Amino acid sequence: MDNAFFEALNSLGSENGLDTDTLIEKVKSAMLKAARKAYPDSEDRITVEIDPTTKTFEMYLRQDVIDDEPIDENEINIAEARNIDPSIKVGDHIQKRLDINRFGRAAALSAKQSIKGDLRDINRKRILDKFQDKENDCITCTVTQVEKGGAATLMYDKTEIYLFHNEQIPGEDLKEGQSIMVYVTNIANKQKKPIIKISRVRKELVKRMFELEVPEIYDGVVEIKAISREAGARTKIAVWSNDANVDPVSACIGPKHARIDAVVKSLSGEKIDIIPYSENPEEFIARALAPATVESVTIINPEERLCGVLVPANQLSLAIGNRGQNAKLAAKLTGYKIDIKAATPENEALIAEKVEEAKAELAAKAEAEAKAKAEEEAAQQAQAEQDAEQAQDAASWEENWQAQNADAEEDDLLLSDDDTTAAIESAIDAPAETPETTEA
């Protein structure tokens, strides 16, 4: 066997991240399967020896030495055997070197398919082991290839993964050799060929970046309560501190903006607003509309989570944002539908009118629900009374039926006084029996 085989073996191991010993065992197993097809009567007599040090690859068939004519390839005549080993005796065994070319195209193809199947299983397990604990987490990859207007090929720990165009940050220009962070959304097709799905547009990516950059978040002192994002443009994050001595916003910004700047740089300059979270919805909504100044927030309909916001006229466009971006992000962050208007007496009166309308609607809804509940309770009470009445009637019927049966049984067992008197008289008046006589 020439060096080409072992060079191919080393290349195959490098491509699949496998050590040579593991790959050699797989090749041995595949070649044994192919050899056993070529020698179906010699299944347990074939051995494969592969030594990468000496670069030898041989296959042998164990033959029994006999003094008769061999009946198959598992036997060899003593005379022929002694041409190989003069000291051989009948009953001994000899290892016959096999010609690998004898397997033919079908056997070679079978061996190749077997090796490919083993490699697929090994790769599947290796990928799962590598990425199983990375699901819903961030990883740092290196860009190896960028297709024009399409997917980018990334390398992570000697494994290629693909970042599709719709999962790339809009406007981002990836370069070969660049290190980027991606979010592993999930692992698909785990039972066959695992597919690692990654993203640069998910809001969870930003959340995990801050968890990695801010020790207070990692330790649980500062919490990210809510996050909304328009990838490539702006992200809003609401943070809360469990320690009164720790300012959550300052912790996320870091000394000289170092922490937030690191995240912004990783996101190719995406703007990030850090907002202090509040359990008071009006206050939280006002903060969420930053950098705009808010004069008032009114909860119009708490059930529909609708609110009206008044801002100074010169702050209206800033509060709404380019193409409504700031208002949309604030709505996603707070979970409220936000109606933003300029702070004028007319708009203030309009919001007050909407509040009254909402109150009337809620009151009517509450009244209708109360009425429906009362009707339901009345129906349930009527049904309960009907069920109780039916149960009582059934109990009375059962009681009368048992009483009638008891009287009938007593009549059967006891005779009336008249019956008793008649029976006695009948017994007295009956003629006495006379003994029969026999004539002599």
Side-chain angles (χ1 to χ4, degrees):
M1 180 67 65
D2 57 23
N3 293 336
F5 169 78
F6 292 95
E7 291 175 0
L9 199 66
N10 290 331
S11 176
L12 193 61
S14 299
E15 291 173 1
N16 292 275
L18 300 173
D19 60 89
T20 305
D21 291 340
T22 301
L23 195 55
I24 283 176
E25 289 303 316
K26 295 299 178 183
V27 173
K28 281 184 177 181
S29 176
M31 295 306 295
L32 279 173
K33 291 178 183 178
R36 286 165 182 168
K37 287 186 178 181
Y39 297 87
D41 298 326
S42 308
E43 183 173 350
D44 299 327
R45 294 172 171 267
I46 299 173
T47 57
V48 179
E49 294 181 4
I50 302 177
D51 189 346
T53 304
T54 59
K55 290 183 171 49
T56 56
F57 178 14
E58 301 291 350
M59 298 183 68
Y60 296 96
L61 171 63
R62 190 181 79 251
Q63 294 178 313
D64 300 331
V65 179
I66 61 172
D67 58 0
D68 295 327
E69 187 70 20
I71 61 174
D72 56 27
E73 293 186 349
N74 296 328
E75 297 177 346
I76 185 172
N77 183 266
I78 182 65
E80 185 180 352
R82 282 178 178 167
N83 290 331
I84 302 173
D85 184 359
S87 62
I88 203 76
K89 301 187 299 292
V90 173
D92 289 346
H93 306 288
I94 192 168
Q95 296 291 340
K96 177 185 176 182
R97 182 178 296 171
L98 298 178
D99 182 7
I100 298 176
N101 295 327
R102 180 180 172 182
F103 298 160
R105 183 178 180 84
L109 182 60
S110 175
K112 182 180 178 180
Q113 293 296 332
S114 178
I115 293 172
K116 288 176 66 177
D118 287 340
L119 288 177
R120 280 196 298 269
D121 290 340
I122 291 172
N123 280 328
R124 183 185 66 82
K125 186 177 184 303
R126 181 173 57 83
I127 291 173
L128 287 178
D129 290 344
K130 186 181 296 185
F131 288 96
Q132 195 74 52
D133 60 344
K134 303 297 182 184
E135 200 168 3
N136 300 320
D137 202 352
C138 282
I139 58 174
T140 301
C141 305
T142 301
V143 180
T144 58
Q145 185 179 356
V146 180
E147 299 177 9
K148 187 176 180 179
T153 303
L154 313 181
M155 184 68 71
Y156 175 77
D157 193 14
K158 298 181 180 179
T159 300
E160 284 189 344
I161 51 180
Y162 300 96
L163 181 63
F164 294 103
H165 182 68
N166 62 333
E167 295 293 349
Q168 298 175 27
I169 296 175
E172 185 176 41
D173 186 19
L174 298 177
K175 303 291 184 182
E176 291 184 8
Q178 178 183 355
S179 292
I180 62 172
M181 292 190 74
V182 296
Y183 183 77
V184 181
T185 58
N186 72 307
I187 303 174
N189 202 29
K190 293 183 180 181
Q191 301 304 319
K192 293 184 179 179
K193 184 179 180 181
I195 300 173
I196 311 302
K197 294 189 176 182
I198 56 176
S199 175
R200 291 267 291 165
V201 301
R202 299 291 185 93
K203 64 182 181 181
E204 291 85 0
L205 173 65
V206 184
K207 183 174 184 291
R208 285 294 292 129
M209 284 183 172
F210 272 97
E211 289 172 352
L212 294 172
E213 288 289 340
V214 183
E216 291 84 351
I217 296 178
Y218 183 84
D219 295 336
V221 176
V222 173
E223 293 182 47
I224 296 178
K225 288 289 190 178
I227 183 169
S228 61
R229 184 187 184 199
E230 187 170 326
R234 184 183 293 272
T235 293
K236 289 180 181 286
I237 301 177
V239 292
W240 169 272
S241 176
N242 294 310
D243 187 341
N245 297 318
V246 177
D247 180 8
V249 176
S250 297
C252 292
I253 294 174
K256 297 181 180 181
H257 292 73
R259 294 172 179 174
I260 192 171
D261 285 349
V263 177
V264 169
K265 183 179 179 181
S266 295
L267 297 174
S268 300
E270 185 174 313
K271 296 178 181 179
I272 299 177
D273 297 334
I274 308 295
I275 299 162
Y277 174 77
S278 175
E279 295 182 348
N280 182 301
E282 290 90 345
E283 186 177 23
F284 185 29
I285 293 166
R287 292 174 178 176
L289 287 168
T293 301
V294 175
E295 285 196 3
S296 66
V297 177
T298 304
I299 304 300
I300 296 175
N301 191 325
E303 285 193 359
E304 295 182 1
R305 298 180 73 82
L306 174 64
C307 71
V309 175
L310 295 177
V311 300
N314 62 352
Q315 295 279 303
L316 184 60
S317 60
L318 184 62
I320 295 173
N322 184 26
R323 298 180 180 179
Q325 181 191 97
N326 195 57
K328 289 177 184 177
L329 289 174
K332 290 180 180 178
L333 189 73
T334 61
Y336 274 82
K337 301 173 186 176
I338 304 175
D339 184 12
I340 305 174
K341 298 184 180 298
T344 63
E346 293 80 8
N347 287 332
E348 187 174 352
L350 180 61
I351 290 177
E353 182 181 347
K354 288 183 177 181
V355 170
E356 293 303 319
E357 290 177 356
K359 286 182 179 179
E361 290 178 3
L362 292 174
K365 182 179 178 181
E367 183 179 355
E369 289 177 351
K371 182 179 179 181
K373 185 177 180 181
E375 291 176 352
E376 183 180 358
E377 290 177 350
Q380 291 177 349
Q381 179 65 27
Q383 184 64 44
E385 292 176 355
Q386 183 178 357
D387 293 343
E389 184 178 350
Q390 290 177 351
Q392 185 175 2
D393 291 343
S396 299
W397 181 86
E398 179 70 18
E399 183 179 354
N400 292 334
W401 182 80
Q402 290 180 355
Q404 291 174 4
N405 283 349
D407 291 343
E409 290 175 358
E410 185 176 355
D411 289 345
D412 291 340
L413 295 174
L414 299 177
L415 295 173
S416 64
D417 290 343
D418 293 340
D419 292 337
T420 303
T421 302
I424 294 172
E425 291 177 347
S426 175
I428 294 173
D429 294 339
E433 295 183 357
T434 56
E436 295 182 355
T437 57
T438 302
E439 293 182 358

